[in-house]
Amino acid sequence: MFTEEQLELRKTVAQLLSKRADAAALRRTLESGEAFDRGLWEVLCQQVGVAALAIPEEFGGFGATVVEQHLVLEELGAALTPSPMFGSAVLAAQAILASGNTDACERLLPGIAEGSTIAALCWVGPDGHWRSNEVACTASGSDADGFTVSGSAHYVLDGAHADVLIVAASVEGQDGAIALFEVDPSVDGVTRRALPTMDLTRPMSLVEFASAPAVRLTADDASAALERVRDIAIVALSAEQVGAAARCLQMTVDYSKDRVQFGRAIGSFQALKHRMADLYFLVETARSASYAAVYSLSEGLPSAAADAAVAKAYCSEAFNAVAGDAIQLHGGIAITWEHDAHLFFKRAHGSSQLFGQPEQYLQEMESLAGLPS
């Protein structure tokens, strides 16, 4: 499925992360109070170009596809690497591209591509539904007099340290039409607060707007653009989930070979062999669902939305199952702070809720299939 160049990209990222983003480095980052390792992010962007992959060449990117980005995210997920890759290079960058605003693309995307600018997408309210017809903010004003944005955006990835905010807001006086706006986070009327999260490796923020000056990016209703962004985001998330689930399973298998009970390695017991074989099946079928979804996106297939929903639901459930069984198979050590199992467990549950619960996507698949809700 993948070309030699794509596989070489994945290998390069994996080798870099093994040197710069192992478990010890991850814990140092978490204990430092910083949202991510800025030195590592600079290396990933400047030497590998991870943030530039899915950005067109005319806007400072490499002009690759979401497939290359997918492989990078799988490796970042395996290492649980905190970085602005998802919030800035995926969510915000794709929202800017989907706006169709060439001036905004030329102005904002080159910085995002080189990693010097971090952007964040402000979209949902406290319910966390991530639906294209539900936004947390409202905008008032006109093209002639300018716009202001008000409201509270929840679960904003990389929002606390973003240099640019892209805000989805309903426009007053336009029958609920939704538009994308650019807001400078340093202006009056913008308040940002980092939120406490179960998953320490995925920082989120609450961003509040009180009549903050905003620049409108989309001329028409942006609902279709948000749908496209969400499909890209949940497929990208599935890449992280597959990478993390595979690493979590490998960690469990390695432990079962070393842990001795009743005079033999616990991995030699038939019951545990069967259990880990079931987990391997979950990981590999989740990988297939994820790869099918990114292929549909990259090729623009009619099934892209349905394949994305399948990947979101299946990969979320698979990662939850693998992480939960990893806790049990490791025994008592897995529930200690010192062991890494809890980091994967928290990432699994946090990821399954991000962009909507798996049940939401099962309902969407029923609708796409023409089944009654």
Side-chain angles (χ1 to χ4, degrees):
M1 177 180 177
F2 302 116
T3 66
E4 290 185 9
E5 291 78 8
Q6 290 168 338
L7 294 176
E8 187 62 30
L9 170 65
R10 166 193 259 170
K11 180 180 177 181
T12 299
V13 173
Q15 290 176 339
L16 175 59
L17 293 178
S18 68
K19 296 177 182 177
R20 296 285 301 269
D22 58 8
L26 172 60
R27 288 179 177 273
R28 286 195 298 270
T29 300
L30 298 180
E31 293 166 0
S32 71
E34 295 292 329
F36 62 96
D37 183 340
R38 294 184 181 274
L40 174 61
W41 179 240
E42 182 177 354
V43 171
L44 284 168
C45 291
Q46 299 300 322
Q47 295 187 16
V48 185
V50 296
L53 289 171
I55 294 177
E57 290 182 90
E58 61 264 34
F59 302 133
F62 287 169
T65 70
V66 290
V67 174
E68 286 80 9
Q69 183 175 258
H70 201 81
L71 296 176
V72 169
L73 287 165
E74 191 174 338
E75 295 302 326
L76 290 172
L80 300 182
T81 305
S83 79
M85 182 68 181
F86 205 105
S88 184
V90 177
L91 268 180
Q94 289 299 326
I96 295 168
L97 282 169
S99 73
N101 189 317
T102 302
D103 290 340
C105 290
E106 291 177 343
R107 180 165 41 84
L108 299 174
L109 291 178
I112 295 174
E114 68 179 16
S116 59
T117 298
I118 297 173
L121 177 60
C122 304
W123 180 346
V124 301
D127 52 26
H129 284 162
W130 297 86
R131 295 191 174 101
S132 62
N133 59 348
E134 296 181 23
V135 294
C137 299
T138 57
S140 59
S142 65
D143 293 323
D145 300 327
F147 288 90
T148 60
V149 171
S150 298
S152 300
H154 293 248
Y155 317 116
V156 181
L157 275 68
D158 299 308
H161 46 269
D163 306 299
V164 177
L165 299 175
I166 306 300
V167 184
S170 58
V171 185
E172 292 182 350
Q174 296 188 14
D175 297 326
I178 294 173
L180 293 176
F181 295 85
E182 175 191 349
V183 177
D184 183 346
S186 65
V187 301
D188 292 336
V190 178
T191 304
R192 300 185 285 178
R193 176 164 58 89
L195 296 174
T197 57
M198 179 177 67
D199 178 9
L200 301 177
T201 66
R202 174 109 62 197
M204 295 184 181
S205 306
L206 171 68
V207 183
E208 298 176 298
F209 303 93
S211 299
V215 177
R216 184 167 181 169
L217 301 182
T218 50
D220 302 319
D221 185 80
S223 296
L226 288 176
E227 282 287 344
R228 167 73 176 172
V229 171
R230 194 191 67 165
D231 286 345
I232 292 173
I234 61 177
V235 173
L237 180 66
S238 75
E240 283 192 352
Q241 291 170 318
V242 168
R247 180 66 60 83
C248 189
L249 176 58
Q250 185 61 55
M251 180 175 68
T252 305
V253 171
D254 291 342
Y255 177 78
S256 73
K257 295 177 180 178
D258 295 334
R259 178 73 169 93
V260 174
Q261 189 70 28
F262 305 115
R264 56 192 288 194
I266 63 172
S268 66
F269 292 109
Q270 195 72 7
L272 295 190
K273 287 181 179 179
H274 287 170
R275 196 164 176 180
M276 284 184 277
D278 290 341
L279 295 180
Y280 178 76
F281 172 81
L282 278 178
V283 170
E284 292 307 310
T285 49
R287 194 190 306 276
S288 296
S290 181
Y291 287 174
V294 76
Y295 176 78
S296 293
L297 273 181
S298 64
E299 296 297 317
L301 300 182
S303 63
D307 291 340
V310 169
K312 163 61 177 173
Y314 193 86
C315 294
S316 294
E317 296 292 353
F319 188 16
N320 276 337
V322 172
D325 274 19
I327 295 287
Q328 294 187 21
L329 292 169
H330 274 82
I333 193 174
I335 61 174
T336 64
W337 182 261
E338 290 74 16
H339 200 274
D340 294 334
H342 74 93
L343 297 174
F344 286 92
F345 185 80
K346 292 172 181 176
R347 170 63 75 90
H349 285 272
S351 295
S352 69
Q353 303 302 308
L354 187 60
F355 306 121
Q357 297 178 343
E359 291 81 1
Q360 173 185 329
Y361 290 89
L362 292 176
Q363 294 172 359
E364 291 190 14
M365 284 187 281
E366 291 173 352
S367 177
L368 289 168
L371 299 175
S373 60

